[in-house]
Amino acid sequence: MTAKILVVEDEPAIQELLVFNVNQAGFDAMRAADAESAWEQIRQHLPDLILLDWMLPTTSGIVLARQLRSEEQTKSIPIIMLTARGDERDKVLGLESGADDYITKPFSPRELMARIRAVMRRHIPTLSDDKVTAGELELSPVSHRVSARGKPVDLGPTEFRLLHFFMTHADRVYSRAQLLDQVWGTQVFVEERTVDVHIRRLRASLEDSGLDGLIQTVRGSGYRFSTVTAG
Ligand code: CA
């Protein structure tokens, strides 16, 4: 799934430049010129990362970053702060407001992309090509292979993405709506019971190895992946 990056920048030329580079790097760019339209965008589509200008009209980037951090839905979205200021004190303030990284204008597209990729790798393991291991399960995004107790497991593309998401987000409960958003993407209209169908298939594929119990149903809430047996 292509990662979505929300660009929040009020200067049209810089916004254009950012959007161009983000798209060029293979991500999906969303754009907003102020905090209010940023929230509108976020409500439609949860972005995977936000490039946030410090100096915005009405609500500053710092205030918006704090708002993002205080809301359940948005608090874990990584933020890269953009600013013309190079002051060390401002940098600290930016990071304290909840930004994950900081980039000073003018920046080169290469530097920008390197920062984006670094933050993505840290925060969104499903977008990285790193091999993931959880207990006796191993998943390789590059070769699209999964093995359970050393034996290959045959998975469909959705089950593969679902398992990748679970393995990189272990021990947390996700509702069906959250799984749809994270694994299918919000742009796709899928009914919530579709999640159950794919969970069932995923479990069936893991049955042979006896690892199907890693996908746990949390009654009334959703699903959780855990290598710790539910008590
Ligand atoms: Ca600005």
Side-chain angles (χ1 to χ4, degrees):
M1 196 169 62
T2 314
K4 289 182 207 61
I5 298 183
L6 174 62
V7 173
V8 190
E9 166 64 79
D10 58 315
E11 282 157 78
I14 301 177
Q15 189 197 79
E16 203 54 53
L17 179 75
L18 290 167
V19 165
F20 175 81
N21 281 293
V22 162
N23 286 332
Q24 195 77 354
F27 301 110
D28 266 352
M30 301 155 58
R31 59 170 95 200
D34 54 41
E36 292 65 36
S37 55
W39 278 113
E40 273 169 37
Q41 292 283 323
I42 291 164
R43 286 195 185 101
Q44 286 180 30
H45 274 307
L46 265 192
D48 296 292
L49 184 142
I50 300 175
L51 285 179
L52 179 57
D53 184 31
W54 179 302
M55 300 294 280
L56 290 172
T58 342
T59 307
S60 78
I62 290 282
V63 171
L64 178 55
R66 289 209 183 101
Q67 291 172 350
L68 288 163
R69 283 295 170 264
S70 67
E71 295 225 359
E72 191 59 36
Q73 275 261 298
T74 54
K75 68 178 182 199
S76 56
I77 301 174
I79 298 171
I80 299 179
M81 206 83 173
L82 299 165
T83 179
R85 309 172 188 216
D87 196 302
E88 198 57 30
R89 258 199 338 243
D90 286 344
K91 181 174 172 170
V92 172
L93 184 59
L95 294 174
E96 275 177 353
S97 71
D100 298 279
D101 203 354
Y102 190 93
I103 191 161
T104 309
K105 296 179 199 170
F107 46 82
S108 73
R110 263 180 66 170
E111 183 191 1
L112 176 71
M113 284 308 134
R115 296 289 184 93
I116 289 177
R117 288 186 203 286
V119 169
M120 289 265 191
R121 259 199 304 279
R122 277 206 302 275
H123 287 264
I124 319 166
T126 32
L127 294 170
S128 117
D129 285 341
D130 297 344
K131 199 177 248 186
V132 202
T133 311
E136 292 172 282
L137 261 187
E138 211 177 82
L139 179 146
S140 163
V142 179
S143 62
H144 242 261
R145 284 201 178 114
V146 174
S147 68
R149 298 204 158 124
K151 294 215 173 88
V153 180
D154 203 17
L155 292 181
T158 304
E159 287 73 39
F160 184 88
R161 285 207 310 276
L162 193 56
L163 182 62
H164 193 193
F165 177 76
F166 274 138
M167 288 175 77
T168 49
H169 297 78
D171 299 314
R172 273 173 275 174
V173 181
Y174 289 92
S175 67
R176 288 166 181 82
Q178 284 171 325
L179 288 171
L180 279 178
D181 193 31
Q182 297 283 340
V183 179
W184 278 257
T186 41
Q187 76 279 17
V188 187
F189 180 79
V190 193
E191 286 181 61
E192 292 197 0
R193 63 167 178 244
T194 304
V195 174
D196 302 331
V197 173
H198 289 278
I199 292 271
R200 223 162 24 236
R201 282 190 205 158
L202 180 56
R203 278 187 181 139
S205 307
L206 294 173
E207 246 166 36
D208 277 354
S209 60
L211 294 179
D212 50 308
L214 298 182
I215 319 282
Q216 301 164 359
T217 303
V218 182
R219 208 190 293 171
S221 307
Y223 295 101
R224 169 179 57 211
F225 176 90
S226 182
T227 51
V228 184
T229 314

